[in-house]
Amino acid sequence: MSVELNLETLKQCLPEQLQAQSVTAVMLALGSNYQADKHLPRVRKDLAALGEIQLSTPFQNPDFTATIELPKPDYTNQCVYLRLAKPVTLQQLQALFKQMEGECGRERLAVAKTSVKKVTMDIDILLIETLINKNSLSKNSSPNQKFEWLIMADRYPFKAHERTGVEELVSVNSLLLVTTKL
């Protein structure tokens, strides 16, 4: 099945506006600048337990905040398309992703001992797919149900590696990306 996904015309919403929204699929950006070879496989396994996943090619990127005076470790970034086995709210997904980050040892508070922040795992939601016009009396999906992709406004415009990962996943999933610039 082919779905048109035009990033220029998709509605952008702030996450706080969508907390109770039922989510059926997500496009995620994963990132790690510390022991990525350990943490990325762990999170991919945890995500696969939630439904079907497809992965973009991983990219190694320099930390854009690094300077010659203050070098920082490179990030390994990867995008993930996750089709959830069962819909959950955005709030539930966000909590679950924070838990996954914590299980990888992610520390959100800046440690004063060093100016170089080690990020074991960062999971960002770029896009969500929601069910619209759902018949509240029906517990099962019907062929007449429609889905809508929404961009997380706090993440847009996407970084270059995010844009590349989303484009790759869109093409892998037979979604048509109709855009001249992301």
Side-chain angles (χ1 to χ4, degrees):
M1 179 172 88
S2 205
V3 176
E4 187 172 310
L5 185 60
N6 182 343
L7 295 181
E8 289 185 4
T9 60
L10 288 181
K11 187 181 343 176
Q12 295 181 34
C13 298
L14 291 170
E16 43 283 351
Q17 297 171 312
L18 301 169
Q19 291 301 296
Q21 188 70 45
S22 183
V23 177
T24 54
V26 290
M27 292 268 198
L28 305 172
L30 307 181
S32 175
N33 73 355
Y34 182 72
Q35 298 181 344
D37 56 335
K38 173 183 170 185
H39 300 297
L40 283 169
R42 176 187 179 151
V43 166
R44 290 188 299 246
K45 181 180 174 189
D46 290 345
L47 292 171
L50 300 174
E52 295 179 39
I53 67 168
Q54 291 189 341
L55 307 169
S56 73
T57 304
F59 294 96
Q60 190 162 359
N61 299 301
D63 184 323
F64 71 91
T65 65
T67 62
I68 293 173
E69 299 80 26
L70 184 61
K72 296 182 180 182
D74 290 346
Y75 274 85
T76 301
N77 298 105
Q78 186 170 40
C79 287
V80 178
Y81 170 80
L82 168 61
R83 165 78 44 207
L84 295 162
K86 80 175 211 188
V88 297
T89 66
L90 179 60
Q91 183 177 25
Q92 290 169 316
L93 269 182
Q94 290 172 320
L96 187 57
F97 295 157
K98 295 277 184 252
Q99 179 183 341
M100 288 180 188
E101 290 173 344
E103 289 169 356
C104 289
R106 171 81 188 258
E107 295 179 4
R108 294 218 163 258
L109 300 175
V111 179
K113 295 178 186 176
T114 177
S115 57
V116 177
K117 187 176 178 184
K118 291 181 181 176
V119 178
T120 55
M121 181 50 54
D122 184 38
I123 304 172
D124 292 317
I125 301 171
L126 303 176
L127 296 144
I128 64 170
E129 181 190 66
T130 63
L131 184 60
I132 55 174
N133 297 329
K134 184 176 179 182
N135 178 347
S136 62
L137 301 176
S138 172
K139 292 184 180 182
N140 299 322
S141 291
S142 76
N144 298 330
Q145 290 179 331
K146 299 207 184 278
F147 298 90
E148 176 181 36
W149 280 97
L150 302 171
I151 294 176
M152 296 292 96
D154 62 336
R155 297 294 309 165
Y156 196 76
F158 298 143
K159 296 175 184 168
H161 63 272
E162 294 168 341
R163 184 186 68 239
T164 301
V166 167
E167 287 174 343
E168 182 181 338
L169 290 169
V170 164
S171 67
V172 165
N173 286 289
S174 299
L175 301 172
L176 299 174
L177 179 62
V178 182
T179 183
T180 53
K181 62 181 179 178
L182 296 174

